[in-house]
Amino acid sequence: MKKKLGLALGAGGARGVAHVGFLRALEEADIRADYVTGCSMGSIVGACYCAGIPMQTLHEVITTLRLSRIAQLNPNPLRACGLFRLNKARKLLEEYIGAQTQFSDLKIPFCCVATDLLSGKTVRLKEGSVVDAIIASSSVPGAFSPVERDGMLLVDGGVIERVPVRENKQMGAEVIVAVDVLGDLVTSVSEAPQNLIDTFLRYIDVIDTRVTQSKRRSRMKDIALWLVPELGDMDQYKVKNLDFAYEKGYELGKANVQKIAELVGE
């Protein structure tokens, strides 16, 4: 009997475009996930996949994006608690996923994660507006304004849970394939930080990597495959080299479709 396949798509900014290529390879092999979880960029790609958007279409849209098409400077960033607001990204997501689309409308069960700054806990978003949830899951602290929801102050889920494996298991997945597009950020940097912002982002990357490595070790019993595309020192914070990320994700998918098919019993 075929086992239930769960995909856990990790955070990764621009590197997250690799998820599109990975899913495209699975589509070509006629492998379909039964459950999907996502964080930050993984939540955006995962939601589009679960909504039935072909990955070729998403590839055409996402690889032409620029920061000016997804974000706008806040007039008062200190009061808004973020340099940018994701109003343009929201409109783009609503165009493809639908402004009124609820989690219950998706073709494949989906859950994304955010971090509540007030409680310090990971929040699982699996009900209500899909676009609202994606925006919350993708709001990188400092870069984008937090999202207020149900008494919580939500930011990027990658603060605590970069690759949401546990949530995938809770949904019912029997075979979990995790795709971590960030990998080991500690050893992938080719040069020292050049300014205050670079130093802060490097600090975040080091903590993020160590937390993810620790959680991965504790959850390996639940993970069938932990996959990392070969993206080198590609900068997750710069909206460029998106076709490169797509191709590396596609290569990763092609290299593993047979193994995934065997794991689920196809």
Side-chain angles (χ1 to χ4, degrees):
M1 182 180 294
K2 180 178 177 295
K3 295 180 180 179
K4 299 290 186 180
L5 172 63
L7 299 178
L9 308 180
R15 293 168 67 107
V17 175
H19 289 310
V20 183
F22 179 80
L23 292 173
R24 172 70 170 167
L26 265 59
E27 281 186 343
E28 291 179 349
D30 200 27
I31 295 175
R32 179 183 172 90
D34 296 288
Y35 305 100
V36 178
T37 56
C39 177
S40 199
M41 189 61 175
S43 75
I44 293 173
V45 177
C48 290
Y49 173 78
C50 292
I53 299 172
M55 288 299 103
Q56 181 59 34
T57 299
L58 188 57
H59 171 226
E60 294 167 0
V61 174
I62 209 166
T63 53
T64 61
L65 290 180
R66 297 295 179 268
L67 182 60
S68 60
R69 287 194 62 198
I70 59 177
Q72 186 174 10
L73 276 170
N74 273 315
N76 189 337
L78 292 178
R79 181 176 292 275
C81 300
L83 291 174
F84 301 96
R85 47 184 169 172
L86 290 171
N87 55 322
K88 292 185 178 180
R90 175 181 290 276
K91 290 182 180 179
L92 191 61
L93 288 166
E94 289 176 347
E95 179 181 344
Y96 286 92
I97 294 177
Q100 304 302 319
T101 299
Q102 306 289 295
F103 277 83
S104 57
D105 298 324
L106 297 175
K107 300 178 185 298
I108 300 172
F110 173 68
C111 169
C112 63
V113 295
T115 303
D116 178 19
L117 287 180
L118 301 182
S119 68
K121 297 179 180 180
T122 294
V123 177
R124 300 172 186 84
L125 302 173
K126 54 185 180 180
E127 296 179 343
S129 167
V130 174
V131 172
D132 284 353
I134 294 170
I135 294 296
S137 180
S138 306
S139 295
V140 179
F144 305 116
S145 301
V147 174
E148 295 183 18
R149 172 171 169 161
D150 300 330
M152 298 179 290
L153 195 61
L154 303 179
V155 296
D156 195 309
V159 172
I160 300 176
E161 200 73 37
R162 187 165 96 189
V163 186
V165 170
R166 180 176 56 183
E167 290 73 15
N168 212 299
K169 182 176 177 60
Q170 290 172 343
M171 294 174 76
E174 297 170 284
V175 174
I176 298 177
V177 176
V179 184
D180 180 13
V181 298
L182 292 179
D184 186 353
L185 295 171
V186 174
T187 60
S188 64
V189 175
S190 58
E191 60 181 32
Q194 301 298 308
N195 52 52
L196 177 62
I197 294 178
D198 283 350
T199 302
F200 174 73
L201 294 176
R202 174 64 174 163
Y203 162 74
I204 295 298
D205 286 348
V206 170
I207 294 176
D208 186 7
T209 296
R210 295 310 186 209
V211 170
T212 301
Q213 288 174 337
S214 176
K215 290 193 173 183
R216 176 186 174 183
R217 286 192 294 269
S218 67
R219 294 172 185 167
M220 277 308 296
K221 66 181 185 301
D222 297 324
I223 304 168
L225 289 176
W226 182 283
L227 304 176
V228 181
E230 297 179 1
L231 297 173
D233 62 354
M234 179 181 176
D235 194 333
Q236 63 169 315
Y237 303 110
K238 296 180 180 178
V239 188
K240 63 179 185 178
N241 299 326
L242 302 183
D243 268 313
F244 167 76
Y246 173 86
E247 290 300 331
K248 289 300 180 180
Y250 182 76
E251 289 175 11
L252 183 72
K254 293 292 283 186
N256 286 278
V257 288
Q258 183 61 40
K259 189 177 296 183
I260 294 171
E262 291 172 356
L263 284 168
V264 298
E266 289 191 342

